Amino acid sequence: MVLLCASHENILLLHTLRTKACLDMGNQTQVSEFILLGLSAQPQQQQVLFSLSFSLYLIGSLGNLLTFLAIISDPHLHSPMYFFLSNLSLLDICFTSTTIPKMLANHLFGCTNISFPACLAQMYCFIAFGAADSILLSTMAYDRYLAICRPLHYMTIMNTFRGTLLVAIPWISANFVSMVHTILMTHLSFCSNRIPHFFCDLNALIKLSCSNTQINGMLVLLLGSWVVLIPFVCIVASYTPIAMAVWRVPSAQRKWKAFSTCGSHFCVVILFYRTIIGVYFNPASTHSAQRDMVATVMYTVVTPMLNPFIYSLRNQDLKVALRKLLSGSHLAKSL
């Protein structure tokens, strides 16, 4: 009789534990919205970061928009190099607009919530535009390599079809990578809905999950290598012979001008890739939320803001196109 009572108590206990586990699992999967904790919890720091982010976003968006409009409005700039540059400007506008306006609105209105579908949409766009930006930078480096190191064959190699293909590949590849990550994210359960970031970052969401994220982590490295590491290697491979060709230029003045232009391009590229590699490819043990956010601000806000100044204002043809676009304005006279 005692054994029967003990068995009955064990069965009841097991049933209670299973019921609790099922309820806990239900709570994990029923995340309808997330809370974005932002760049800082300190009010004074938030005000400074808001002003800085707003200024950089406004300058970068305006610069990229003017560059894009100047290129498409001037028939003299309808060449492969400017075609790539116009796409880079468009990508930079989309890339920064995916995260920064939401962050600014959160600060202004004090609403830090974001629904689960909206969070996935933001993550999808961030990965897609960022990956396309990365691949396009390698395409532009290859274009400069052909123009400087193989000028006689440039127009033959970089025809309209190849130029269009080299722009289509980044867009298609980036959307494929983003779609894979987004689909996998929909199958994860979450223990918390508080994201220690200012947007729905892939790594931050993976860390919040209670599910097995081994596949997610593996694909971050695998697909990330495809859209980050391989383009970076291609850029280095393209700029090395460019630097050697410039070094052989007899005129010291022309050599310095070429080095300053190529050097500024390469510095922005290094800043972009170094921060991305630091966030997504370093061991998890070396990560801190604050350091990751600082690195993310560098490649989501600072680099897109610098691109129009580095690639555009050093180019005489583009400066002429900008003057035509802004003819009659004080800004045009300052250019």
Side-chain angles (χ1 to χ4, degrees), residues 79-81 83-84 87 136 139-140 142-143 146 150 153-170:
S79 64
M81 181 181 77
F83 179 54
F84 297 144
N87 273 271
L136 187 61
T139 299
M140 294 175 68
Y142 175 65
D143 174 73
L146 291 177
R150 302 186 64 183
H153 301 90
Y154 177 75
M155 294 308 299
T156 305
I157 298 173
M158 196 58 70
N159 53 37
T160 304
F161 173 75
R162 285 199 180 94
T164 305
L165 184 64
L166 287 173
V167 167
I169 288 174

Side-chain angles (χ1 to χ4, degrees), residues 165-166 173 178 191 197 199 205 215 222 234 267 274 322:
L165 184 64
L166 287 173
S173 302
S178 184
C191 300
H197 220 302
F199 73 101
L205 288 171
I215 294 177
L222 183 63
C234 291
C267 286
R274 176 65 188 91
L322 285 170

